[in-house]
């Protein structure tokens, strides 16, 4: 279960890097802003600073999860490295899950993106918690 949890945390981090890329790098490309439901190129230009900032939130969560996965995987059970790793995994992935819950709460049309954003980190948190409690 530990390996599965770390794999899901890694995949969640990779997804959030992809989201960062869309929000902070390719936001004004029609394929990107249409995916986010933005109505026009002009609207994409107006919302670009907001998307840019939001993208970096996603990047920082991803970095925390990547570092956490690395530390947890390389640390011996109960070591400071392992504890720091799991702390980062739970904090980063937990924040991803909570952000997905907020997104889901904003309206029915956001349920699918919220599920996409929140499923991998939720699996990481649930499986990690079960694995650590059972050891």
């Amino acid at each position: 279960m530990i390996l599965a949890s770390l794999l899901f945390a890694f995949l969640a981090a990779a997804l959030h890097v992809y989201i960062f890329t869309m929000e902070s790098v390719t936001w004004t490309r029609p394929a990107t802003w249409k995916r986010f439901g933005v109505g026009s190129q002009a609207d994409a230009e107006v919302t670009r600073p907001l998307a840019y900032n939001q993208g970096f939130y996603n990047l920082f969560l991803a970095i925390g999860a990547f570092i956490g996965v690395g530390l947890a995987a390389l640390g011996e059970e109960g070591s400071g490295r392992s504890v720091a790793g799991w702390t980062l995994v739970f904090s980063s992935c937990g924040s991803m899950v909570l952000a997905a819950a907020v997104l889901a709460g904003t309206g029915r049309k956001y349920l699918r993106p919220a599920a996409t954003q929140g499923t991998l980190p939720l699996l990481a948190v649930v499986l990690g918690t079960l694995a650590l409690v059972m050891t």
Side-chain angles (χ1 to χ4, degrees), residues 15-37:
L15 174 63
H16 279 71
V17 169
Y18 176 65
I19 294 168
F20 156 76
T21 302
M22 287 189 293
E23 291 174 338
S24 297
V25 179
T26 66
W27 183 254
T28 55
R29 293 183 189 166
T32 300
W33 56 258
K34 286 178 183 177
R35 175 175 283 154
F36 283 85

Side-chain angles (χ1 to χ4, degrees), residues 22-108:
M22 287 189 293
E23 291 174 338
S24 297
V25 179
T26 66
W27 183 254
T28 55
R29 293 183 189 166
T32 300
W33 56 258
K34 286 178 183 177
R35 175 175 283 154
F36 283 85
V38 175
S40 68
Q41 185 69 42
D43 290 344
E45 294 295 339
V46 169
T47 58
R48 184 178 188 177
L50 297 171
Y52 183 80
N53 185 44
Q54 184 172 316
F56 275 91
Y57 276 95
N58 284 303
L59 178 63
F60 300 145
L61 289 173
I63 290 170
F66 280 135
I67 292 171
V69 167
L71 290 173
L74 297 175
E76 294 181 27
E77 186 178 328
S79 69
R81 182 179 290 165
S82 177
V83 170
W86 283 108
T87 300
L88 283 169
V89 167
F90 289 136
S91 177
S92 297
C93 288
S95 293
M96 292 173 190
V97 170
L98 293 173
V102 170
L103 182 60
T106 59
R108 290 182 51 86

Side-chain angles (χ1 to χ4, degrees), residues 1-11 65 68-79 81-83 85-86 89-90 93 120-135:
M1 255 191 286
I2 286 177
L3 182 59
S5 173
L6 295 178
L7 175 63
F8 284 122
F10 181 88
L11 293 173
V69 167
L71 290 173
L74 297 175
E76 294 181 27
E77 186 178 328
S79 69
R81 182 179 290 165
S82 177
V83 170
W86 283 108
V89 167
F90 289 136
C93 288
L120 293 169
L122 178 63
L123 290 168
V125 169
V126 169
L127 292 175
T129 300
L130 290 172
L132 294 175
V133 167
M134 294 170 64
T135 57

